[in-house]
Each structure stands twice: as C-alpha cells, then as structure tokens.
Short mmCIF file of all heavy atoms in Angstrom, two decimals:
data_model
loop_
_atom_site.label_atom_id
_atom_site.label_comp_id
_atom_site.label_asym_id
_atom_site.label_seq_id
_atom_site.Cartn_x
_atom_site.Cartn_y
_atom_site.Cartn_z
N MET A 394 0.85 -1.17 0.00
CA MET A 394 0.00 0.00 0.00
C MET A 394 0.90 1.24 0.00
O MET A 394 1.83 1.32 0.78
CB MET A 394 -0.90 -0.05 1.24
CG MET A 394 -1.85 1.11 1.35
SD MET A 394 -2.90 0.98 2.80
CE MET A 394 -4.49 1.01 2.03
N PRO A 395 0.60 2.20 -0.87
CA PRO A 395 1.39 3.45 -0.86
C PRO A 395 1.20 4.21 0.45
O PRO A 395 0.46 3.79 1.32
CB PRO A 395 0.80 4.24 -2.03
CG PRO A 395 0.04 3.27 -2.84
CD PRO A 395 -0.37 2.16 -1.93
N LYS A 396 1.84 5.34 0.53
CA LYS A 396 1.74 6.16 1.74
C LYS A 396 0.29 6.49 2.06
O LYS A 396 -0.51 6.77 1.17
CB LYS A 396 2.52 7.47 1.56
CG LYS A 396 4.02 7.29 1.52
CD LYS A 396 4.68 8.63 1.64
CE LYS A 396 5.17 9.07 0.28
NZ LYS A 396 5.86 10.37 0.33
N LEU A 397 -0.02 6.48 3.34
CA LEU A 397 -1.40 6.72 3.76
C LEU A 397 -1.85 8.15 3.52
O LEU A 397 -3.05 8.42 3.44
CB LEU A 397 -1.59 6.35 5.23
CG LEU A 397 -1.49 4.85 5.52
CD1 LEU A 397 -1.59 4.61 7.02
CD2 LEU A 397 -2.57 4.08 4.79
N ASP A 398 -0.92 9.09 3.38
CA ASP A 398 -1.32 10.48 3.15
C ASP A 398 -1.84 10.71 1.74
O ASP A 398 -2.34 11.77 1.43
CB ASP A 398 -0.20 11.46 3.49
CG ASP A 398 1.05 11.27 2.65
OD1 ASP A 398 1.15 10.25 1.94
OD2 ASP A 398 1.94 12.14 2.72
N GLU A 399 -1.76 9.68 0.88
CA GLU A 399 -2.33 9.76 -0.47
C GLU A 399 -3.81 9.37 -0.47
O GLU A 399 -4.45 9.40 -1.50
CB GLU A 399 -1.56 8.85 -1.42
CG GLU A 399 -0.10 9.27 -1.60
CD GLU A 399 0.68 8.31 -2.46
OE1 GLU A 399 0.07 7.41 -3.08
OE2 GLU A 399 1.91 8.45 -2.51
N TYR A 400 -4.32 9.00 0.69
CA TYR A 400 -5.69 8.54 0.82
C TYR A 400 -6.49 9.47 1.72
O TYR A 400 -5.95 10.14 2.58
CB TYR A 400 -5.72 7.12 1.41
CG TYR A 400 -5.13 6.10 0.46
CD1 TYR A 400 -3.78 5.82 0.48
CD2 TYR A 400 -5.94 5.44 -0.45
CE1 TYR A 400 -3.24 4.90 -0.41
CE2 TYR A 400 -5.42 4.52 -1.33
CZ TYR A 400 -4.06 4.25 -1.30
OH TYR A 400 -3.54 3.36 -2.17
N LEU A 401 -7.80 9.47 1.50
CA LEU A 401 -8.71 10.27 2.32
C LEU A 401 -9.65 9.33 3.07
O LEU A 401 -10.08 8.31 2.53
CB LEU A 401 -9.54 11.20 1.43
CG LEU A 401 -8.78 12.23 0.61
CD1 LEU A 401 -9.75 12.96 -0.31
CD2 LEU A 401 -8.07 13.21 1.51
N ARG A 402 -9.97 9.71 4.31
CA ARG A 402 -10.99 8.96 5.05
C ARG A 402 -12.35 9.31 4.46
O ARG A 402 -12.50 10.25 3.69
CB ARG A 402 -10.93 9.30 6.53
CG ARG A 402 -9.68 8.72 7.18
CD ARG A 402 -9.66 8.99 8.63
NE ARG A 402 -9.74 10.44 8.86
CZ ARG A 402 -9.54 11.04 10.00
NH1 ARG A 402 -9.28 10.34 11.06
NH2 ARG A 402 -9.62 12.35 10.10
N ILE A 403 -13.35 8.55 4.85
CA ILE A 403 -14.65 8.65 4.20
C ILE A 403 -15.26 10.05 4.29
O ILE A 403 -15.80 10.56 3.31
CB ILE A 403 -15.62 7.57 4.72
CG1 ILE A 403 -16.86 7.52 3.82
CG2 ILE A 403 -15.96 7.78 6.18
CD1 ILE A 403 -17.67 6.27 3.97
N THR A 404 -15.17 10.70 5.44
CA THR A 404 -15.76 12.04 5.55
C THR A 404 -15.00 13.05 4.69
O THR A 404 -15.62 13.92 4.07
CB THR A 404 -15.80 12.52 7.01
OG1 THR A 404 -14.50 12.43 7.57
CG2 THR A 404 -16.76 11.71 7.84
N GLU A 405 -13.68 12.91 4.65
CA GLU A 405 -12.86 13.80 3.81
C GLU A 405 -13.16 13.55 2.34
O GLU A 405 -13.29 14.49 1.55
CB GLU A 405 -11.38 13.57 4.08
CG GLU A 405 -10.95 13.86 5.49
CD GLU A 405 -9.57 13.31 5.82
OE1 GLU A 405 -9.18 12.26 5.26
OE2 GLU A 405 -8.89 13.94 6.64
N ALA A 406 -13.25 12.28 1.96
CA ALA A 406 -13.51 11.93 0.56
C ALA A 406 -14.89 12.39 0.13
O ALA A 406 -15.07 12.89 -0.99
CB ALA A 406 -13.36 10.42 0.36
N ALA A 407 -15.88 12.25 1.00
CA ALA A 407 -17.24 12.68 0.67
C ALA A 407 -17.29 14.19 0.44
O ALA A 407 -17.91 14.66 -0.51
CB ALA A 407 -18.19 12.28 1.79
N GLU A 408 -16.62 14.93 1.29
CA GLU A 408 -16.56 16.38 1.13
C GLU A 408 -15.81 16.75 -0.15
O GLU A 408 -16.20 17.65 -0.88
CB GLU A 408 -15.89 17.00 2.35
CG GLU A 408 -15.94 18.52 2.34
CD GLU A 408 -15.37 19.10 3.63
OE1 GLU A 408 -15.60 18.53 4.70
OE2 GLU A 408 -14.69 20.14 3.52
N TYR A 409 -14.73 16.03 -0.43
CA TYR A 409 -13.90 16.28 -1.61
C TYR A 409 -14.70 16.11 -2.90
O TYR A 409 -14.59 16.89 -3.83
CB TYR A 409 -12.71 15.31 -1.57
CG TYR A 409 -11.65 15.53 -2.61
CD1 TYR A 409 -10.74 16.56 -2.49
CD2 TYR A 409 -11.54 14.66 -3.70
CE1 TYR A 409 -9.74 16.74 -3.43
CE2 TYR A 409 -10.54 14.84 -4.64
CZ TYR A 409 -9.65 15.87 -4.50
OH TYR A 409 -8.67 16.05 -5.44
N VAL A 410 -15.54 15.06 -2.92
CA VAL A 410 -16.32 14.75 -4.12
C VAL A 410 -17.65 15.50 -4.13
O VAL A 410 -18.21 15.76 -5.19
CB VAL A 410 -16.56 13.22 -4.22
CG1 VAL A 410 -17.42 12.85 -5.39
CG2 VAL A 410 -15.24 12.48 -4.31
N GLY A 411 -18.15 15.85 -2.95
CA GLY A 411 -19.41 16.58 -2.88
C GLY A 411 -20.63 15.69 -2.75
O GLY A 411 -21.70 16.01 -3.25
N VAL A 412 -20.44 14.54 -2.09
CA VAL A 412 -21.56 13.62 -1.86
C VAL A 412 -21.59 13.25 -0.38
O VAL A 412 -20.67 13.56 0.36
CB VAL A 412 -21.44 12.34 -2.72
CG1 VAL A 412 -21.49 12.68 -4.20
CG2 VAL A 412 -20.17 11.57 -2.39
N ALA A 413 -22.62 12.55 0.02
CA ALA A 413 -22.73 12.08 1.40
C ALA A 413 -21.85 10.85 1.61
O ALA A 413 -21.61 10.08 0.66
CB ALA A 413 -24.18 11.72 1.71
N PRO A 414 -21.36 10.64 2.84
CA PRO A 414 -20.56 9.45 3.11
C PRO A 414 -21.27 8.14 2.75
O PRO A 414 -20.64 7.20 2.26
CB PRO A 414 -20.30 9.53 4.62
CG PRO A 414 -20.34 10.99 4.92
CD PRO A 414 -21.40 11.54 4.00
N ASN A 415 -22.58 8.08 2.96
CA ASN A 415 -23.32 6.86 2.59
C ASN A 415 -23.27 6.59 1.09
O ASN A 415 -23.30 5.44 0.66
CB ASN A 415 -24.77 6.92 3.07
CG ASN A 415 -24.90 6.58 4.53
OD1 ASN A 415 -24.03 5.91 5.10
ND2 ASN A 415 -25.97 7.04 5.15
N THR A 416 -23.20 7.64 0.29
CA THR A 416 -23.07 7.46 -1.16
C THR A 416 -21.76 6.76 -1.47
O THR A 416 -21.73 5.84 -2.28
CB THR A 416 -23.15 8.82 -1.87
OG1 THR A 416 -24.40 9.43 -1.56
CG2 THR A 416 -23.01 8.66 -3.38
N LEU A 417 -20.67 7.18 -0.82
CA LEU A 417 -19.39 6.51 -1.03
C LEU A 417 -19.44 5.06 -0.59
O LEU A 417 -18.89 4.18 -1.25
CB LEU A 417 -18.27 7.24 -0.29
CG LEU A 417 -17.89 8.62 -0.82
CD1 LEU A 417 -16.76 9.21 0.02
CD2 LEU A 417 -17.48 8.56 -2.27
N ARG A 418 -20.10 4.80 0.53
CA ARG A 418 -20.24 3.41 1.00
C ARG A 418 -20.99 2.57 -0.03
O ARG A 418 -20.60 1.44 -0.33
CB ARG A 418 -20.98 3.37 2.34
CG ARG A 418 -20.18 3.89 3.49
CD ARG A 418 -20.96 3.76 4.81
NE ARG A 418 -20.25 4.42 5.88
CZ ARG A 418 -20.52 5.62 6.36
NH1 ARG A 418 -21.54 6.32 5.85
NH2 ARG A 418 -19.81 6.14 7.33
N ASN A 419 -22.06 3.13 -0.59
CA ASN A 419 -22.83 2.40 -1.61
C ASN A 419 -22.01 2.17 -2.87
O ASN A 419 -22.07 1.09 -3.47
CB ASN A 419 -24.11 3.15 -1.95
CG ASN A 419 -25.12 3.11 -0.83
OD1 ASN A 419 -25.14 2.19 -0.02
ND2 ASN A 419 -25.97 4.13 -0.76
N TRP A 420 -21.25 3.18 -3.30
CA TRP A 420 -20.40 3.02 -4.47
C TRP A 420 -19.33 1.96 -4.21
O TRP A 420 -18.97 1.21 -5.11
CB TRP A 420 -19.74 4.34 -4.85
CG TRP A 420 -20.68 5.36 -5.43
CD1 TRP A 420 -21.96 5.16 -5.84
CD2 TRP A 420 -20.40 6.74 -5.66
NE1 TRP A 420 -22.50 6.34 -6.32
CE2 TRP A 420 -21.56 7.32 -6.22
CE3 TRP A 420 -19.29 7.54 -5.45
CZ2 TRP A 420 -21.64 8.66 -6.57
CZ3 TRP A 420 -19.36 8.88 -5.79
CH2 TRP A 420 -20.53 9.43 -6.36
N GLY A 421 -18.84 1.89 -2.99
CA GLY A 421 -17.86 0.87 -2.64
C GLY A 421 -18.47 -0.52 -2.69
O GLY A 421 -17.86 -1.46 -3.22
N LYS A 422 -19.67 -0.67 -2.14
CA LYS A 422 -20.35 -1.98 -2.16
C LYS A 422 -20.64 -2.45 -3.57
O LYS A 422 -20.57 -3.63 -3.87
CB LYS A 422 -21.66 -1.90 -1.37
CG LYS A 422 -21.48 -1.86 0.11
CD LYS A 422 -22.83 -1.75 0.80
CE LYS A 422 -22.66 -1.46 2.28
NZ LYS A 422 -23.95 -1.23 2.94
N SER A 423 -21.01 -1.50 -4.44
CA SER A 423 -21.37 -1.87 -5.81
C SER A 423 -20.16 -2.00 -6.73
O SER A 423 -20.30 -2.42 -7.87
CB SER A 423 -22.35 -0.85 -6.39
OG SER A 423 -21.71 0.40 -6.57
N GLY A 424 -18.98 -1.63 -6.23
CA GLY A 424 -17.77 -1.77 -7.04
C GLY A 424 -17.47 -0.57 -7.93
O GLY A 424 -16.55 -0.61 -8.72
N LYS A 425 -18.23 0.49 -7.80
CA LYS A 425 -17.98 1.69 -8.60
C LYS A 425 -16.75 2.45 -8.13
O LYS A 425 -16.16 3.21 -8.88
CB LYS A 425 -19.19 2.63 -8.57
CG LYS A 425 -20.41 2.06 -9.22
CD LYS A 425 -21.58 3.01 -9.11
CE LYS A 425 -22.83 2.38 -9.72
NZ LYS A 425 -23.99 3.26 -9.55
N LEU A 426 -16.39 2.25 -6.87
CA LEU A 426 -15.27 2.95 -6.27
C LEU A 426 -14.53 1.96 -5.38
O LEU A 426 -15.15 1.18 -4.66
CB LEU A 426 -15.80 4.12 -5.44
CG LEU A 426 -14.84 5.18 -4.96
CD1 LEU A 426 -14.12 5.86 -6.13
CD2 LEU A 426 -15.58 6.23 -4.16
N THR A 427 -13.20 1.98 -5.46
CA THR A 427 -12.40 1.06 -4.67
C THR A 427 -12.24 1.58 -3.25
O THR A 427 -11.82 2.72 -3.05
CB THR A 427 -11.00 0.88 -5.31
OG1 THR A 427 -11.16 0.46 -6.66
CG2 THR A 427 -10.19 -0.14 -4.55
N GLU A 428 -12.59 0.75 -2.30
CA GLU A 428 -12.40 1.08 -0.89
C GLU A 428 -11.20 0.30 -0.38
O GLU A 428 -11.07 -0.89 -0.64
CB GLU A 428 -13.61 0.68 -0.05
CG GLU A 428 -14.84 1.48 -0.29
CD GLU A 428 -15.98 1.04 0.60
OE1 GLU A 428 -16.06 -0.16 0.95
OE2 GLU A 428 -16.78 1.90 0.95
N ARG A 429 -10.34 0.98 0.32
CA ARG A 429 -9.23 0.32 0.99
C ARG A 429 -9.45 0.50 2.48
O ARG A 429 -10.23 1.35 2.90
CB ARG A 429 -7.92 0.91 0.54
CG ARG A 429 -7.63 0.58 -0.92
CD ARG A 429 -6.48 1.40 -1.45
NE ARG A 429 -6.19 1.11 -2.83
CZ ARG A 429 -6.85 1.61 -3.87
NH1 ARG A 429 -7.84 2.46 -3.67
NH2 ARG A 429 -6.54 1.31 -5.10
N ARG A 430 -8.77 -0.27 3.29
CA ARG A 430 -8.91 -0.17 4.74
C ARG A 430 -7.58 0.19 5.37
O ARG A 430 -6.52 -0.30 4.96
CB ARG A 430 -9.40 -1.50 5.33
CG ARG A 430 -10.80 -1.90 4.89
CD ARG A 430 -11.82 -1.00 5.51
NE ARG A 430 -13.18 -1.40 5.12
CZ ARG A 430 -14.22 -1.16 5.86
NH1 ARG A 430 -14.12 -0.53 7.01
NH2 ARG A 430 -15.41 -1.51 5.45
N HIS A 431 -7.64 1.06 6.36
CA HIS A 431 -6.46 1.44 7.12
C HIS A 431 -5.95 0.19 7.85
O HIS A 431 -6.75 -0.53 8.45
CB HIS A 431 -6.82 2.54 8.12
CG HIS A 431 -5.64 3.16 8.77
ND1 HIS A 431 -4.93 2.55 9.77
CD2 HIS A 431 -5.03 4.36 8.54
CE1 HIS A 431 -3.94 3.32 10.16
NE2 HIS A 431 -3.98 4.43 9.42
N PRO A 432 -4.66 -0.08 7.80
CA PRO A 432 -4.15 -1.33 8.38
C PRO A 432 -4.27 -1.39 9.90
O PRO A 432 -4.34 -2.49 10.46
CB PRO A 432 -2.68 -1.35 7.95
CG PRO A 432 -2.34 0.03 7.57
CD PRO A 432 -3.62 0.69 7.13
N MET A 433 -4.34 -0.26 10.57
CA MET A 433 -4.39 -0.28 12.03
C MET A 433 -5.81 -0.19 12.60
O MET A 433 -6.14 -0.86 13.55
CB MET A 433 -3.55 0.87 12.61
CG MET A 433 -2.09 0.80 12.22
SD MET A 433 -1.27 -0.62 12.89
CE MET A 433 -1.02 -0.07 14.55
N ASN A 434 -6.65 0.67 11.99
CA ASN A 434 -7.96 0.91 12.59
C ASN A 434 -9.14 0.45 11.72
O ASN A 434 -10.28 0.51 12.16
CB ASN A 434 -8.12 2.38 12.96
CG ASN A 434 -7.92 3.31 11.79
OD1 ASN A 434 -8.14 2.93 10.65
ND2 ASN A 434 -7.50 4.53 12.06
N GLY A 435 -8.88 0.03 10.49
CA GLY A 435 -9.94 -0.48 9.63
C GLY A 435 -10.82 0.56 8.97
O GLY A 435 -11.80 0.22 8.32
N TYR A 436 -10.48 1.85 9.12
CA TYR A 436 -11.27 2.91 8.47
C TYR A 436 -11.21 2.75 6.96
O TYR A 436 -10.21 2.34 6.41
CB TYR A 436 -10.74 4.30 8.82
CG TYR A 436 -10.93 4.75 10.25
CD1 TYR A 436 -10.26 5.87 10.72
CD2 TYR A 436 -11.78 4.10 11.12
CE1 TYR A 436 -10.43 6.31 12.01
CE2 TYR A 436 -11.96 4.54 12.42
CZ TYR A 436 -11.28 5.65 12.86
OH TYR A 436 -11.46 6.08 14.15
N ARG A 437 -12.31 3.14 6.31
CA ARG A 437 -12.32 3.16 4.84
C ARG A 437 -11.40 4.27 4.36
O ARG A 437 -11.42 5.38 4.88
CB ARG A 437 -13.72 3.43 4.32
CG ARG A 437 -14.67 2.29 4.44
CD ARG A 437 -16.05 2.72 3.93
NE ARG A 437 -16.96 1.61 3.89
CZ ARG A 437 -17.73 1.23 4.90
NH1 ARG A 437 -17.68 1.88 6.04
NH2 ARG A 437 -18.54 0.21 4.78
N LEU A 438 -10.64 3.97 3.31
CA LEU A 438 -9.75 4.95 2.70
C LEU A 438 -10.01 4.99 1.20
O LEU A 438 -10.26 3.95 0.58
CB LEU A 438 -8.28 4.59 2.96
CG LEU A 438 -7.83 4.56 4.41
CD1 LEU A 438 -6.41 4.02 4.51
CD2 LEU A 438 -7.93 5.93 5.04
N TYR A 439 -9.93 6.18 0.65
CA TYR A 439 -10.19 6.38 -0.78
C TYR A 439 -8.98 7.06 -1.40
O TYR A 439 -8.48 8.06 -0.89
CB TYR A 439 -11.45 7.22 -0.98
CG TYR A 439 -12.67 6.54 -0.42
CD1 TYR A 439 -13.07 6.75 0.89
CD2 TYR A 439 -13.41 5.66 -1.19
CE1 TYR A 439 -14.18 6.10 1.42
CE2 TYR A 439 -14.52 5.01 -0.68
CZ TYR A 439 -14.89 5.23 0.62
OH TYR A 439 -15.99 4.59 1.14
N ASP A 440 -8.54 6.52 -2.52
CA ASP A 440 -7.39 7.05 -3.25
C ASP A 440 -7.75 8.39 -3.88
O ASP A 440 -8.73 8.49 -4.62
CB ASP A 440 -6.98 6.04 -4.32
CG ASP A 440 -5.73 6.41 -5.06
OD1 ASP A 440 -5.25 7.55 -4.94
OD2 ASP A 440 -5.21 5.55 -5.79
N ARG A 441 -6.96 9.40 -3.59
CA ARG A 441 -7.23 10.74 -4.11
C ARG A 441 -7.21 10.76 -5.64
O ARG A 441 -8.04 11.42 -6.28
CB ARG A 441 -6.19 11.73 -3.57
CG ARG A 441 -6.50 13.17 -3.85
CD ARG A 441 -5.43 14.09 -3.32
NE ARG A 441 -5.15 13.90 -1.92
CZ ARG A 441 -5.68 14.64 -0.94
NH1 ARG A 441 -6.50 15.62 -1.24
NH2 ARG A 441 -5.38 14.42 0.32
N ASP A 442 -6.31 9.98 -6.26
CA ASP A 442 -6.25 9.93 -7.73
C ASP A 442 -7.53 9.33 -8.32
O ASP A 442 -8.04 9.79 -9.34
CB ASP A 442 -5.04 9.13 -8.20
CG ASP A 442 -3.73 9.84 -7.96
OD1 ASP A 442 -3.73 11.09 -7.84
OD2 ASP A 442 -2.69 9.15 -7.86
N GLU A 443 -8.06 8.30 -7.66
CA GLU A 443 -9.29 7.68 -8.14
C GLU A 443 -10.47 8.65 -8.01
O GLU A 443 -11.33 8.73 -8.88
CB GLU A 443 -9.58 6.40 -7.37
CG GLU A 443 -10.73 5.62 -7.94
CD GLU A 443 -10.92 4.27 -7.28
OE1 GLU A 443 -10.11 3.86 -6.43
OE2 GLU A 443 -11.92 3.61 -7.64
N LEU A 444 -10.49 9.41 -6.92
CA LEU A 444 -11.54 10.42 -6.75
C LEU A 444 -11.42 11.52 -7.80
O LEU A 444 -12.43 11.99 -8.33
CB LEU A 444 -11.48 11.02 -5.34
CG LEU A 444 -11.77 10.06 -4.19
CD1 LEU A 444 -11.51 10.73 -2.86
CD2 LEU A 444 -13.18 9.52 -4.26
N ASP A 445 -10.19 11.90 -8.13
CA ASP A 445 -9.98 12.90 -9.18
C ASP A 445 -10.48 12.40 -10.52
O ASP A 445 -11.11 13.14 -11.28
CB ASP A 445 -8.50 13.29 -9.28
CG ASP A 445 -8.05 14.17 -8.13
OD1 ASP A 445 -8.90 14.84 -7.51
OD2 ASP A 445 -6.83 14.19 -7.86
N LYS A 446 -10.24 11.12 -10.83
CA LYS A 446 -10.73 10.53 -12.08
C LYS A 446 -12.25 10.55 -12.12
O LYS A 446 -12.85 10.87 -13.15
CB LYS A 446 -10.23 9.09 -12.23
CG LYS A 446 -8.78 8.97 -12.58
CD LYS A 446 -8.39 7.52 -12.68
CE LYS A 446 -6.89 7.37 -12.77
NZ LYS A 446 -6.48 5.95 -12.78
N LEU A 447 -12.85 10.23 -10.99
CA LEU A 447 -14.30 10.25 -10.90
C LEU A 447 -14.84 11.65 -11.16
O LEU A 447 -15.79 11.83 -11.92
CB LEU A 447 -14.74 9.76 -9.52
CG LEU A 447 -16.22 9.81 -9.19
CD1 LEU A 447 -16.99 8.79 -10.03
CD2 LEU A 447 -16.45 9.56 -7.72
N LEU A 448 -14.21 12.65 -10.55
CA LEU A 448 -14.65 14.04 -10.75
C LEU A 448 -14.47 14.48 -12.19
O LEU A 448 -15.33 15.17 -12.74
CB LEU A 448 -13.89 14.97 -9.81
CG LEU A 448 -14.27 14.89 -8.34
CD1 LEU A 448 -13.33 15.73 -7.50
CD2 LEU A 448 -15.71 15.35 -8.15
N ARG A 449 -13.37 14.09 -12.82
CA ARG A 449 -13.15 14.45 -14.23
C ARG A 449 -14.20 13.80 -15.11
O ARG A 449 -14.69 14.40 -16.06
CB ARG A 449 -11.75 14.04 -14.68
CG ARG A 449 -10.67 15.01 -14.26
CD ARG A 449 -9.37 14.76 -14.99
NE ARG A 449 -8.85 13.43 -14.78
CZ ARG A 449 -8.04 13.06 -13.77
NH1 ARG A 449 -7.69 13.93 -12.86
NH2 ARG A 449 -7.61 11.83 -13.67
N MET A 450 -14.55 12.54 -14.80
CA MET A 450 -15.55 11.84 -15.58
C MET A 450 -16.91 12.54 -15.47
O MET A 450 -17.59 12.75 -16.45
CB MET A 450 -15.68 10.40 -15.06
CG MET A 450 -15.88 9.37 -16.11
SD MET A 450 -15.76 7.69 -15.46
CE MET A 450 -16.88 7.69 -14.10
N VAL A 451 -17.26 12.92 -14.26
CA VAL A 451 -18.56 13.58 -14.04
C VAL A 451 -18.57 14.97 -14.64
O VAL A 451 -19.51 15.36 -15.32
CB VAL A 451 -18.88 13.64 -12.52
CG1 VAL A 451 -20.08 14.52 -12.26
CG2 VAL A 451 -19.10 12.25 -11.99
N ASN A 452 -17.52 15.74 -14.41
CA ASN A 452 -17.47 17.11 -14.91
C ASN A 452 -17.24 17.18 -16.41
O ASN A 452 -17.62 18.15 -17.03
CB ASN A 452 -16.38 17.90 -14.18
CG ASN A 452 -16.73 18.13 -12.73
OD1 ASN A 452 -17.89 18.17 -12.37
ND2 ASN A 452 -15.72 18.27 -11.90
N GLY A 453 -16.66 16.14 -16.99
CA GLY A 453 -16.38 16.14 -18.42
C GLY A 453 -17.55 15.67 -19.26
O GLY A 453 -17.58 15.86 -20.45
N SER A 454 -18.53 15.04 -18.61
CA SER A 454 -19.66 14.53 -19.37
C SER A 454 -20.64 15.66 -19.68
O SER A 454 -20.80 16.58 -18.89
CB SER A 454 -20.37 13.42 -18.59
OG SER A 454 -20.90 13.94 -17.39
N PRO A 455 -21.26 15.61 -20.83
CA PRO A 455 -22.22 16.66 -21.17
C PRO A 455 -23.42 16.62 -20.25
O PRO A 455 -23.86 15.56 -19.82
CB PRO A 455 -22.62 16.33 -22.61
CG PRO A 455 -22.30 14.89 -22.78
CD PRO A 455 -21.17 14.58 -21.85
N ILE A 456 -23.95 17.78 -19.96
CA ILE A 456 -25.13 17.87 -19.12
C ILE A 456 -26.34 17.53 -19.97
O ILE A 456 -26.52 18.06 -21.07
CB ILE A 456 -25.26 19.28 -18.52
CG1 ILE A 456 -24.07 19.58 -17.64
CG2 ILE A 456 -26.57 19.44 -17.77
CD1 ILE A 456 -24.02 21.00 -17.16
N ARG A 457 -27.16 16.63 -19.48
CA ARG A 457 -28.34 16.24 -20.24
C ARG A 457 -29.39 17.33 -20.14
O ARG A 457 -29.69 17.83 -19.06
CB ARG A 457 -28.89 14.93 -19.69
CG ARG A 457 -27.92 13.77 -19.88
CD ARG A 457 -28.46 12.52 -19.33
NE ARG A 457 -29.61 12.12 -20.14
CZ ARG A 457 -30.44 11.15 -19.81
NH1 ARG A 457 -30.28 10.50 -18.70
NH2 ARG A 457 -31.44 10.83 -20.58
N LYS A 458 -29.94 17.67 -21.26
CA LYS A 458 -31.00 18.67 -21.28
C LYS A 458 -32.33 17.97 -21.02
O LYS A 458 -32.54 16.86 -21.46
CB LYS A 458 -31.03 19.37 -22.65
CG LYS A 458 -29.79 20.18 -22.91
CD LYS A 458 -29.89 20.87 -24.25
CE LYS A 458 -28.61 21.67 -24.51
NZ LYS A 458 -28.65 22.31 -25.81
N PRO A 459 -33.23 18.64 -20.32
CA PRO A 459 -34.54 18.02 -20.08
C PRO A 459 -35.29 17.83 -21.39
O PRO A 459 -35.19 18.64 -22.31
CB PRO A 459 -35.26 19.01 -19.17
CG PRO A 459 -34.47 20.27 -19.23
CD PRO A 459 -33.11 19.94 -19.73
N VAL A 460 -36.02 16.75 -21.46
CA VAL A 460 -36.80 16.45 -22.66
C VAL A 460 -38.07 17.29 -22.62
O VAL A 460 -38.77 17.34 -21.62
CB VAL A 460 -37.17 14.94 -22.68
CG1 VAL A 460 -38.03 14.64 -23.89
CG2 VAL A 460 -35.92 14.11 -22.68
N LYS A 461 -38.31 17.98 -23.74
CA LYS A 461 -39.51 18.81 -23.83
C LYS A 461 -40.70 17.91 -24.13
O LYS A 461 -40.66 17.06 -25.01
CB LYS A 461 -39.38 19.85 -24.92
CG LYS A 461 -38.36 20.91 -24.62
CD LYS A 461 -38.32 21.94 -25.73
CE LYS A 461 -37.28 22.98 -25.45
NZ LYS A 461 -37.20 23.97 -26.54
N LYS A 462 -41.76 18.11 -23.37
CA LYS A 462 -43.00 17.34 -23.61
C LYS A 462 -43.83 18.09 -24.63
O LYS A 462 -43.98 19.30 -24.55
CB LYS A 462 -43.76 17.15 -22.31
CG LYS A 462 -43.04 16.29 -21.32
CD LYS A 462 -43.90 16.04 -20.11
CE LYS A 462 -43.17 15.15 -19.14
NZ LYS A 462 -44.02 14.83 -17.98
N THR A 463 -44.34 17.34 -25.56
CA THR A 463 -45.20 17.96 -26.56
C THR A 463 -46.64 17.93 -26.04
O THR A 463 -47.08 16.94 -25.43
CB THR A 463 -45.12 17.20 -27.89
OG1 THR A 463 -45.43 15.82 -27.66
CG2 THR A 463 -43.74 17.31 -28.49
N PRO A 464 -47.39 19.00 -26.27
CA PRO A 464 -48.78 19.02 -25.81
C PRO A 464 -49.62 18.01 -26.58
O PRO A 464 -49.40 17.78 -27.77
CB PRO A 464 -49.24 20.46 -26.07
CG PRO A 464 -48.25 21.05 -26.97
CD PRO A 464 -47.00 20.22 -26.90
N LYS A 465 -50.58 17.44 -25.92
CA LYS A 465 -51.44 16.44 -26.57
C LYS A 465 -52.62 17.08 -27.23
O LYS A 465 -53.13 18.07 -26.92
CB LYS A 465 -51.92 15.43 -25.55
CG LYS A 465 -50.80 14.57 -25.06
CD LYS A 465 -51.35 13.52 -24.12
CE LYS A 465 -50.21 12.65 -23.61
NZ LYS A 465 -50.67 11.61 -22.78
#
C-alpha cells in the first residue's frame, strides 16, 4: 500500500467529491469505487487519484438537457 497520506478517510472523501458518506459506502459496495482499509484501525480509505478521475468523468460529461414534452 502506498503512503497513507495519499488517501482520504470517508468524511474527507465525501466532502472532496461533494456527496454524502453513505453514497461513497454504496459506491464501494457496488464496485464503482475502490475502498481500501487502514491497516491499524480499519477505516475506509479512498485514493485521491481515483476520486480525481471520478470528478473528471462527471465534470467532463455533457449535461443532459430536459426532454420537452409535446402538448397532446
């Protein structure tokens, strides 16, 4: 495992990405995001580079425009 200062704990990672900690837990369970564990205390850790990739993916994707409903 690389240096621990390259990782964020769940509350730090959630704030960094702009989501709730439970969202990160769900993404970890579903495999969308890799969760690592601190070797001493078992806390969830998230790789800052992986979070940056996630943010680039989200921010780089086009914003979907709402579909206009046609009157009947």
Side-chain angles (χ1 to χ4, degrees):
M394 181 178 238
K396 290 192 257 181
L397 291 176
D398 62 349
E399 296 176 10
Y400 293 89
L401 298 174
R402 289 183 302 191
I403 191 163
T404 54
E405 298 166 329
E408 187 175 322
Y409 187 76
V410 177
V412 297
N415 280 338
T416 301
L417 291 180
R418 289 183 187 100
N419 289 334
W420 289 348
K422 286 179 190 174
S423 68
K425 294 178 183 176
L426 193 59
T427 305
E428 291 181 328
R429 292 168 180 81
R430 295 290 181 153
H431 190 284
M433 300 295 282
N434 56 27
Y436 291 167
R437 286 178 174 89
L438 298 173
Y439 298 91
D440 185 348
R441 189 181 306 263
D442 289 337
E443 188 173 355
L444 295 173
D445 286 337
K446 286 179 191 176
L447 175 69
L448 287 173
R449 280 193 301 272
M450 218 171 52
V451 170
N452 292 334
S454 63
I456 298 172
R457 295 179 68 190
K458 295 181 181 178
V460 177
K461 291 182 181 178
K462 294 185 179 183
T463 55
K465 291 184 181 183

